[in-house]
Amino acid sequence: MGFSVAGRRWCYLRVLEICRRAKGDEITSLFRNVSDVCSRYANMDYIFGSAIQGFKLLFILISYDIACQWFTNLFERMTEYWPTELQVPSTTKLIPAIPKLHEPMHEAANHQVYSLNYIPGVGQSDLECPVRVWAAHNIVGNATKTQGPGSRHDVLDDHFSFWNWLKYVGMGKTLMRRY
């Protein structure tokens, strides 16, 4: 049950593209007869369904800060409200997990089922990488919000390329320090 780096990166980019294209009202309108209780999860349901659309996977590890709440009635929402094109194949096993930094804040009984320490195949992952990665780049979004789509894309591409280059150049020091 391995998760490739390229696959994760592509999935993150796909989720970001889905978020960029769709607005909240458009997403909610895609789900038929969404009740008030389910409408608060409509955005995440749509992003999740769209991100895995077209994949035939046996296992999907879902890392989400409130996986314990979102996952509870997911299958009911899937069958009752989701459009047919977003349905997850019945052969796919969904595994919810709460990232390690967020897990201690959830003080519910029997909450260990969402702990990464007990999910087979996860290893020592903490699944906080998206938080660490995007937190450093919040200022770029503010700096590029008035730019046109082409120049914004170029600035973001340059910024992330430079950031990746810095990581690559610093990899030797990091590996020396760790090993």
Side-chain angles (χ1 to χ4, degrees):
M1 187 165 107
F3 302 99
S4 73
V5 172
R8 280 184 283 177
R9 185 177 310 120
W10 186 87
C11 192
Y12 291 146
L13 293 176
R14 180 140 185 206
V15 168
L16 290 174
E17 180 67 17
I18 292 163
C19 292
R20 187 182 66 77
R21 289 185 179 182
K23 305 286 186 257
D25 295 339
E26 294 172 8
I27 293 172
T28 306
S29 66
L30 286 171
F31 291 85
R32 54 194 183 276
N33 304 323
V34 177
S35 67
D36 290 338
V37 175
C38 296
S39 66
R40 65 180 165 163
Y41 299 122
N43 289 351
M44 182 58 188
D45 287 352
Y46 179 75
I47 291 168
F48 174 71
S50 297
I52 64 169
Q53 187 180 14
F55 289 101
K56 300 208 181 328
L57 302 170
L58 295 175
F59 302 96
I60 298 176
L61 179 66
I62 306 162
S63 169
Y64 186 32
D65 298 351
I66 58 167
C68 53
Q69 297 170 14
W70 175 72
F71 195 76
T72 302
N73 297 314
L74 178 63
F75 293 104
E76 291 174 26
R77 291 193 313 273
M78 284 170 129
T79 56
E80 195 170 335
Y81 302 115
W82 284 32
T84 54
E85 62 270 10
L86 293 182
Q87 294 291 327
V88 177
S90 60
T91 56
T92 301
K93 181 179 180 187
L94 303 177
I95 307 165
I98 297 175
K100 285 191 178 179
L101 178 69
H102 294 85
E103 207 274 329
M105 295 174 230
H106 297 256
E107 298 176 357
N110 298 324
H111 216 260
Q112 66 275 9
V113 295
Y114 303 107
S115 174
L116 292 168
N117 296 326
Y118 301 116
I119 297 175
V122 175
Q124 293 297 312
S125 299
D126 68 355
L127 299 180
E128 293 286 351
C129 185
V131 176
R132 282 193 297 272
V133 170
W134 290 107
H137 305 298
N138 284 338
I139 195 164
V140 179
N142 195 30
T144 60
K145 67 182 175 185
T146 58
Q147 296 177 344
S151 59
R152 184 172 199 264
H153 186 273
D154 288 344
V155 169
L156 292 173
D157 191 40
D158 288 344
H159 176 78
F160 291 123
S161 295
F162 179 68
W163 188 69
N164 285 334
W165 180 79
L166 288 175
K167 285 193 317 184
Y168 184 72
V169 169
M171 196 179 297
K173 289 180 183 177
T174 302
L175 291 175
M176 291 269 299
R177 188 177 64 242
R178 288 187 183 171
Y179 306 105

